[in-house]
Amino acid sequence: MKINRNFDNLVPNYLFAEIAKKTSAYAAAHPDEKLIRLGIGDVTLPLPRTAVQAMKIGAGELSLKETFKGYPEYEGYDFVREAVAKYYAGFGVTVGADEVFISDGAKSDTGNIGDIFGADNVVMVPDPVYPVYVDANIMAGRKIIYAPGTREKRFLPMPDESVHADIIYLCSPNNPTGAAYDAEQLKAWVDYANQHDAIILYDAAYEAFIEDDCPRSIFAIDGARTCAIEFCSLSKTAGFTGVRCGYTVIPKELARDGHNIHALWYRRQATKFNGVSYPVQCAAAAVFSQEGQKEFKANIAYYKENARIISKALDELGIFYTGGKNSPYIWLECPKGMGSWEFFDDLLENAQVVGTPGEGFGSQGKGHFRLTSFGDRENTIEAIERIKKILR
Ligand code: MLT
């Protein structure tokens, strides 16, 4: 018997598992200290009330013979898919409800989508970026090339005609840097993908944080329907990190290598995924109602205020940072020339604040660090006071 030897090529722990391990060890050794966690992008505000009500009604239906439901549709119930399509229409993008697949989140889908692609495709990944794209493709044994997102490029790598890729991951607004592509930049990626017969895997998990005119979807760009798949999640939009629900949009006409991509993904999902529970799909549809949108936008405004508080402190300390505007993340340069894990240890030991070392998002993250604005207000303010104290 042989294991998948590609696992030998992974870093030993998934980034956020490594941070959780280090944090737990510190907490166990210092039981009296209050830790403030601004590491993993996990939400702290409760779900929109409208979503919880819908979830309760959905659960109630399951308790009656007349309304009971068993296995859901593989691609999600029509009422949720229609709600998603209507949400897109709300920001001027047309996608068909029958192009939407409801899932348990963007993390699973951005990793699992690789099932439908051959192992010999070349995968291009921006650096720094969400580590799931790299780890999932290492597991599949694919060759990965990096598009460096340096500070000079405002952390937004652009295509290089002389470099060929078959699969391109883009994340906009970017996790971890918060940088968002504008329409012209996205058009350049779409043109590159169409010319290279490549597919863009576009992670829009943070689209709801966009506050300027950057596109909320790759499908706002001409030509994207013949080269892109979009992933989104209700985790950061509406606090579903624990509830689990997301969606993936695949245009019906998207084809490669003589195969229809929508049909392949349906085939994959029907085989390996039994869908999202009915009460959760009810909650998801409610998120996109008028009231639901009002409620989640209020939560996002709360997190944005946290981001403003963090940014103001970094301004006072004279520390370079990006993000916090179209994104819940603040991406900063580690002070005093520290390495990113060194700064992680420094903050943990001397301020009892947990952040995320930039290096965990790629080699371009060296010397950088990510803080999230998903904490509650009181803890965010306290964390900032503690950070200021050790850095002054
Ligand atoms: C993050 O902190 O980058 C995200 O919360 C991780 C995730 O969404 O899986």
Side-chain angles (χ1 to χ4, degrees), residues 14 16 40-41 107 130 175 236 329 370:
Y14 176 58
F16 294 104
I40 190 163
K107 179 184 190 172
Y130 186 38
N175 176 13
K236 316 299 158 96
Y329 299 126
R370 194 193 78 176

Side-chain angles (χ1 to χ4, degrees), residues 243-255:
V243 176
R244 309 305 312 149
C245 194
Y247 45 95
T248 290
V249 181
I250 308 186
K252 280 281 177 82
E253 65 264 46
L254 182 59

Side-chain angles (χ1 to χ4, degrees), residues 88-323:
Y88 272 83
F91 49 80
V93 173
T94 303
V95 301
D98 58 356
E99 296 177 321
V100 175
F101 290 82
I102 304 300
S103 74
D104 64 341
K107 179 184 190 172
S108 332
D109 279 9
T110 52
N112 292 335
I113 193 80
D115 277 8
I116 66 172
F117 301 124
D120 47 1
N121 286 300
V122 174
V123 180
M124 184 186 281
V125 178
D127 176 4
V129 87
Y130 186 38
V132 168
Y133 318 149
V134 169
D135 286 1
N137 282 286
I138 288 178
M139 289 175 189
R142 290 195 189 93
K143 179 179 172 192
I144 300 175
I145 56 175
Y146 294 91
T150 55
R151 194 199 285 194
E152 298 69 50
K153 294 180 187 166
R154 293 177 39 250
F155 298 108
L156 292 168
M158 293 303 294
D160 174 349
E161 272 312 318
S162 65
V163 177
H164 174 79
D166 304 297
I167 297 171
I168 302 147
Y169 280 89
L170 295 179
C171 178
S172 180
N174 176 275
N175 176 13
T177 68
Y181 284 111
D182 64 24
E184 199 181 316
Q185 291 168 321
L186 280 183
K187 177 72 177 141
W189 277 111
V190 163
D191 290 347
Y192 170 93
N194 278 321
Q195 276 153 21
H196 285 250
D197 200 32
I199 286 192
I200 295 175
L201 302 176
Y202 190 79
D203 187 348
Y206 300 93
E207 61 78 18
F209 288 78
I210 292 179
E211 60 185 43
D212 56 21
D213 55 4
C214 287
R216 306 263 299 266
S217 163
I218 187 93
F219 299 120
I221 307 300
D222 270 354
R225 290 185 62 86
T226 53
C227 69
I229 297 176
E230 181 156 296
F231 305 88
C232 201
S233 161
L234 292 183
S235 287
K236 316 299 158 96
T237 301
F240 274 49
T241 53
V243 176
R244 309 305 312 149
C245 194
Y247 45 95
T248 290
V249 181
I250 308 186
K252 280 281 177 82
E253 65 264 46
L254 182 59
R256 286 292 181 276
D257 194 15
H259 285 73
N260 180 277
I261 299 296
H262 185 282
L264 284 184
W265 184 239
Y266 178 84
R267 182 71 180 82
R268 188 272 173 207
Q269 290 296 77
T271 305
K272 291 195 181 179
F273 182 62
N274 257 339
V276 173
S277 76
Y278 178 66
V280 168
Q281 293 201 52
C282 292
V287 163
F288 297 115
S289 67
Q290 248 186 3
E291 193 52 30
Q293 290 198 42
K294 214 166 99 195
E295 288 173 2
F296 82 62
K297 282 174 188 162
N299 287 1
I300 287 177
Y302 175 96
Y303 296 133
K304 287 270 183 84
E305 177 59 15
N306 285 348
R308 201 195 55 76
I309 291 166
I310 299 170
S311 308
K312 186 164 167 273
L314 296 176
D315 282 335
E316 282 168 30
L317 291 164
I319 293 176
F320 171 86
Y321 66 91
T322 60

Side-chain angles (χ1 to χ4, degrees), residues 11-23 39 131 334-335 337-349 353-363 365-370:
V11 289
N13 267 324
Y14 176 58
L15 173 64
F16 294 104
E18 178 70 15
I19 291 169
K21 203 168 114 195
K22 281 181 178 259
T23 308
C334 297
M338 273 188 259
S340 64
W341 281 104
E342 192 187 353
F343 187 49
F344 173 87
D345 290 336
D346 188 45
L347 275 194
L348 183 60
E349 281 157 27
V353 172
V354 182
T356 308
E359 221 169 310
F361 298 99
S363 65
K366 280 185 183 149
H368 289 79
F369 202 75
R370 194 193 78 176

